[in-house]
Amino acid sequence: MANQHDFVYFGDVEIGTPGQKLKVVFDTGSSNFWVPTKPRGLQLAGRKYYRPHESGTYEATAEEFSIRYADGDVNTGIFCRDDLAIGQLRLPSFTFAAVNKTETSRNVNESKFDGILGLGFPDISVGGVPTVMGELVRSGQLDNPVFGFYLARGQPGQLVFGGVDPDHYVGDFHFVDVAHTGQDMPSMRRWAVSIDRIRLGSVINMSATPVAVVDSGTSRLVGPLWDVFVLASKMGATQWGLGIYVVDCNRTLPTVAFMLGGKEFSLEAEDLILKDVVPEGAEGQCLLGLVGALQTDWILGDIFLQKHYVQFDWGRKRVGFATSAPGPTAPAAAAAPTAPSDAGAGDRRLASFV
């Protein structure tokens, strides 16, 4: 997967016949797949668009689509069906959204990806349409119903469908079952895990929030406003806007550790201080990769995944964490990775790299 400034990772998919190549973010925090169609009169430099009427396998529907993300972005359009290819994997006549309107406070020209491919559970699929991972498992193309994320700073990332890549992690996986994300939500609603405690240096139980969503579509570490305020204050950070903090670029920070399923997973100063992001007017200060938001759950975004290789086990509804190993990402033509560490001996270990 391509790496844009360590803030977003994306890979190629092909849609239609003949295939139209588009770049998408693989997002474990949502469940729908959408790509843009080119709105009349709108020019976005460097962006590609899905051209449905140039595909011989395109099927239109009259069903409307609208999705709102946690950052406030809203995308609307219509559902349609067409063939989808992700590496060597194929999903014929797959239902997804062709988006013709986007409402965002960001400059979309700054983003090098075109659409978003959700890897979440069916519970949060807008319109109740099938999910990509659900259909891959149902089709029998993956002997192992898992996918593994490797993200790294300053180099490409990697997504493996159907297995994990031992070149990119060290030690064994520590598995934590998918947890409830709220009293009124089913346990399989998101890729969420229970938090036993949060430790800052020698201080324990810095948060009463019981759940963290493991989200490849969020760049930073995000938590409830008050929790983040307390943590950032104890780090010596200064507020630079609602939920946003800056800190001395060379400051030594205490370790932040999340205990998940009885094991701690830590982040150090080099993980949390974003030295490539210096806010205007904040000389000598860098952005802190810890953000407060109006929400009740934590989000373990790319900053967490850059330190830890994560295996998402669709079949057993659990998440596995291991320490990421540094090094270049394996290309798509590399040898097939291994199956999950506790897979049966009969597994054929088929996988697809992105």
Side-chain angles (χ1 to χ4, degrees):
M1 293 187 293
N3 175 355
Q4 184 180 354
H5 307 308
D6 295 335
F7 269 78
V8 62
Y9 298 78
F10 49 86
D12 292 334
V13 299
E14 288 192 3
I15 308 171
T17 306
Q20 300 176 32
K21 185 176 291 187
L22 295 172
K23 300 182 183 301
V24 299
V25 172
F26 294 92
D27 177 24
T28 58
S30 65
S31 297
N32 290 87
F33 172 42
W34 66 263
V35 290
T37 56
K38 189 172 183 179
R40 183 176 299 174
L42 180 60
Q43 300 294 327
L44 299 177
R47 298 284 293 278
K48 293 184 178 180
Y49 300 85
Y50 171 53
R51 300 174 298 280
H53 297 293
E54 294 182 17
S55 170
T57 45
Y58 165 72
E59 300 174 60
T61 79
E63 299 177 55
E64 295 183 351
F65 168 81
S66 180
I67 189 169
R68 177 184 292 272
Y69 293 96
D71 60 5
D73 287 5
V74 179
N75 295 275
T76 57
I78 60 167
F79 283 108
C80 62
R81 287 182 289 273
D82 209 337
D83 293 353
L84 170 64
I86 309 170
Q88 59 187 300
L89 304 172
R90 299 289 187 271
L91 291 176
S93 192
F94 183 76
T95 301
F96 62 97
V99 165
N100 53 33
K101 183 179 180 182
T102 296
E103 298 176 19
T104 178
S105 59
R106 297 174 295 174
N107 181 356
V108 292
N109 283 318
E110 294 178 353
S111 301
K112 295 183 179 180
F113 65 91
D114 305 307
I116 293 179
L117 191 153
L119 292 172
F121 293 110
D123 307 64
I124 57 171
S125 173
V126 173
V129 299
T131 65
V132 168
M133 188 61 186
E135 289 301 284
L136 287 175
V137 172
R138 189 187 65 81
S139 69
Q141 295 181 70
L142 305 178
D143 279 356
N144 301 297
V146 305
F147 56 94
F149 265 96
Y150 169 76
L151 305 183
R153 285 194 172 187
Q155 63 185 41
Q158 182 196 68
L159 169 60
V160 180
F161 286 97
V164 293
D165 188 345
D167 289 340
H168 287 312
Y169 66 89
V170 295
D172 297 324
F173 281 98
H174 176 76
F175 288 97
V176 184
D177 290 338
V178 168
H180 289 271
T181 56
Q183 293 182 351
D184 59 341
M185 296 182 181
S187 60
M188 294 184 294
R189 191 171 177 85
R190 295 181 184 275
W191 287 109
V193 294
S194 296
I195 301 175
D196 300 330
R197 70 185 185 203
I198 299 176
R199 176 175 62 83
L200 178 67
S202 60
V203 180
I204 296 177
N205 292 330
M206 292 298 302
S207 174
T209 303
V211 168
V213 178
V214 188
D215 185 1
S216 62
T218 296
S219 299
R220 304 174 194 171
L221 200 63
V222 183
L225 274 174
W226 177 251
D227 292 354
V228 171
F229 171 77
V230 172
L231 289 169
S233 297
K234 290 185 177 295
M235 291 178 181
T238 303
Q239 194 160 357
W240 198 255
L242 183 62
I244 307 297
Y245 296 87
V246 295
V247 67
D248 187 305
C249 296
N250 298 312
R251 187 178 181 86
T252 300
L253 299 182
T255 298
V256 177
F258 291 82
M259 180 171 280
L260 310 173
K263 182 176 180 178
E264 280 195 344
F265 296 89
S266 62
L267 296 168
E268 310 297 338
E270 60 267 26
D271 306 312
L272 293 168
I273 298 178
L274 307 181
K275 293 191 175 182
D276 293 333
V277 185
V278 179
E280 186 176 353
E283 186 175 350
Q285 302 287 301
C286 290
L287 199 64
L288 187 66
L290 183 62
V291 178
L294 295 171
Q295 60 189 49
T296 58
D297 298 331
W298 277 87
I299 298 177
L300 304 180
D302 291 350
I303 281 180
F304 185 87
L305 273 70
Q306 287 164 355
K307 184 76 174 288
H308 306 98
Y309 190 109
V310 181
Q311 177 186 156
F312 295 85
D313 191 332
W314 181 278
R316 299 189 185 184
K317 304 299 184 290
R318 62 181 186 170
V319 183
F321 303 94
T323 301
S324 289
T329 301
T338 65
S341 56
D342 57 354
D347 288 304
R348 285 178 288 161
R349 301 182 179 182
L350 298 182
S352 180
F353 289 92
V354 178

